[in-house]
Amino acid sequence: MLIGAVNKFTLLDYPEHLAAIIFTATCNFRCGYCHNSIFVLPEKIDTELQGQFIPPDRIINFLKQRRNLLDGVVISGGEPTIQPDLPDFIRQIKELGYLVKLDTNGTNPQMLEYLLQEKLVDFIAMDIKSSWDKYPSLIGRAINSSELQTSVELIKTQAPDYEFRSTILPFYHSRDTLKAMAEQIKGAKTWALQAFRNISVLDQNFSHLESFSTNEMKSLQTELEAIIPNIVLR
């Protein structure tokens, strides 16, 4: 496991639970609005982390000390599912009695399926970046949309609890695009929409882009609830 950082306590990242967050390093996307570029860009991993990753054993020892103080552990990134030893790491966490929430971009449905079959995750949050056809312009690479759709269906049908979530901004997310995104996850329990913030972004071109206003977000929520009845704003 390549672990870049740990947030020892959060009330926000695991719904209704006190949790710690583990940030894995490296990612297969290059989303321009990403706020975690230190865990994504190889040059930042080299210069800011200086290639110094946190040993998994240290994380496990920390979690042993926090039993009865924390409910769960959030594994975020970067993209955790590209870490081949992720299942073994989660097993150690589960043996301590913690709930586990996984944040993912959905590009590794094989890993997701294995984690679900082995009952290693209690909550999955999958990012829906855009409509499948517009993903490349936002994430900086080609995608296999069938893999993403497979992940969506696995999560909807097998995850103990889950949400889909999207960071949205006017330049990339027209109403037609947002409706297409809603159709991609139709039948979902929850879709969380987050307004883009143009600070600490991976691609500085995004620092000049506008966000949706609060009123615009509420209007979009109302409109999209015709497709996904439970939409939350963050």
Side-chain angles (χ1 to χ4, degrees):
M1 290 288 294
L2 300 180
I3 300 172
V6 177
N7 182 338
K8 296 180 179 180
F9 182 79
T10 176
L11 290 167
L12 301 176
D13 292 84
Y14 195 150
E16 300 181 4
H17 292 289
L18 306 179
I21 310 176
I22 296 165
F23 295 95
T24 63
T26 70
C27 187
N28 53 354
F29 281 6
R30 296 292 183 269
C31 304
Y33 55 65
C34 178
H35 296 304
N36 288 341
S37 61
I38 187 175
F39 308 124
V40 172
L41 298 174
E43 60 271 24
K44 287 201 172 185
I45 292 173
D46 288 340
T47 58
E48 298 189 39
L49 294 181
Q50 297 181 344
Q52 298 298 310
F53 301 108
I54 301 172
D57 288 350
R58 189 183 301 174
I59 301 295
I60 297 302
N61 287 334
F62 160 74
L63 292 173
K64 286 179 179 177
Q65 297 169 17
R66 293 302 174 103
R67 279 185 290 191
N68 302 319
L69 297 175
L70 298 173
D71 304 319
V73 176
V74 179
I75 303 179
S76 191
E79 174 50 40
T81 66
I82 63 177
Q83 306 280 339
D85 47 354
L86 178 64
D88 291 337
F89 181 61
I90 294 178
R91 281 192 185 92
Q92 295 181 71
I93 296 172
K94 295 291 286 182
E95 286 171 1
L96 297 176
Y98 287 102
L99 298 169
V100 172
K101 173 179 177 275
L102 176 70
D103 295 342
T104 182
N105 60 25
T107 52
N108 193 344
Q110 295 82 11
M111 175 67 82
L112 288 179
E113 185 172 27
Y114 181 79
L115 295 174
L116 289 166
Q117 288 176 345
E118 295 293 307
K119 302 186 185 306
L120 292 174
V121 287
D122 302 284
F123 192 109
I124 298 177
M126 177 177 165
D127 291 315
I128 304 297
K129 307 291 186 180
S130 187
S131 56
W132 303 145
D133 62 312
K134 294 185 178 179
Y135 254 61
S137 64
L138 190 59
I139 68 164
R141 54 158 281 190
I143 60 157
N144 183 340
S145 61
S146 65
E147 290 182 343
L148 296 174
Q149 194 65 58
T150 296
S151 292
V152 167
E153 296 307 315
L154 281 169
I155 292 167
K156 287 197 300 184
T157 58
Q158 297 186 32
D161 202 357
Y162 71 90
E163 70 178 21
F164 298 101
R165 60 191 190 182
S166 302
T167 297
I168 60 173
L169 61 160
F171 187 82
Y172 281 95
H173 298 97
S174 67
R175 275 176 158 72
D176 286 343
T177 297
L178 289 165
K179 288 177 182 177
M181 292 164 65
E183 291 291 345
Q184 289 166 181
I185 58 171
K186 193 170 185 176
K189 173 186 173 184
T190 304
W191 188 19
L193 297 180
Q194 176 176 292
F196 159 74
R197 292 178 296 124
N198 59 0
I199 56 174
S200 300
V201 289
L202 182 147
D203 183 344
Q204 288 307 304
N205 290 320
F206 278 70
S207 65
H208 308 293
L209 298 180
E210 298 295 325
S211 302
F212 286 113
S213 68
T214 299
N215 286 338
E216 287 171 328
M217 292 290 290
K218 290 179 179 178
S219 175
L220 290 170
Q221 178 187 30
T222 299
E223 188 172 342
L224 294 168
E225 281 177 339
I227 305 172
I228 306 292
N230 186 32
I231 293 178
V232 296
L233 301 181
R234 294 200 176 130

